[in-house]
Amino acid sequence: MAGWQVFTATLAMLTIMAVTVVSLHQPHRDPDRLSVDRIRERISNEHTASADPVLSTSAWSHGAPDHQLDVQEAHRTMQQHRRCVVGECDRKGAAFRALVDAGRIKPTRMPPALQ
C-alpha cells in the first residue's frame, strides 16, 4: 500500500471512531424527567403554600399542640420534626398519635412514652 492509502484509511477510521464516541455521549431526553425550571416552580409553590401565618409560628415548636391535629397537619409535623424522637417531642408525639388513630401508621409496638 502506498503512504496516501494508509493515511486515508487511518483518517477514515479515526472519523468513524469519533462519530461513534460522540453519538454515545449525547444526552438523551427523558420526557418524564423534570426540568430545572419546573423543579424551581414547584419549590416556590410549596413555599408559598406553606406560608400560612398560623402554622409558621407554632409548627416548629416542640410543645404539645393546642388542638387535635388533622391528618394533613400530622403528616407535615412528622416531616418537620423528622429528627425528633417521638417520646421526647410532644408535637411529634401528638402527630404520631393522630396518624395511628387515622390508620395511616400501623406500628408494630407503641413507643413507651405514648402508651
Side-chain angles (χ1 to χ4, degrees):
M1 265 201 215
W4 67 273
Q5 290 173 327
V6 172
F7 175 75
T8 304
T10 304
L11 187 61
M13 188 59 81
L14 288 174
T15 303
I16 291 171
M17 288 173 54
V19 168
T20 303
V21 168
V22 168
S23 69
L24 291 176
H25 286 88
Q26 288 290 333
H28 298 284
R29 287 260 181 218
D30 184 3
D32 297 330
R33 190 171 178 182
L34 293 176
S35 68
V36 173
D37 292 332
R38 286 185 58 199
I39 293 171
R40 286 181 181 154
E41 179 183 345
R42 191 176 93 195
I43 290 171
S44 174
N45 290 341
E46 287 175 0
H47 284 297
T48 304
S50 68
D52 187 357
V54 174
L55 294 176
S56 63
T57 57
S58 64
W60 292 101
S61 72
H62 298 283
D66 56 355
H67 62 284
Q68 180 69 26
L69 298 177
D70 63 356
V71 174
Q72 184 179 4
E73 189 176 4
H75 276 296
R76 186 171 39 251
T77 300
M78 291 292 283
Q79 291 169 354
Q80 290 169 339
H81 292 265
R82 67 181 171 272
R83 290 193 176 105
C84 297
V85 177
V86 172
E88 296 175 6
C89 178
D90 293 333
R91 184 165 291 273
K92 186 171 183 176
F96 186 85
R97 272 187 242 99
L99 293 174
V100 168
D101 293 343
R104 298 295 183 100
I105 294 178
K106 297 188 186 326
T108 54
R109 65 176 185 83
M110 281 297 269
L114 298 179
Q115 291 179 354

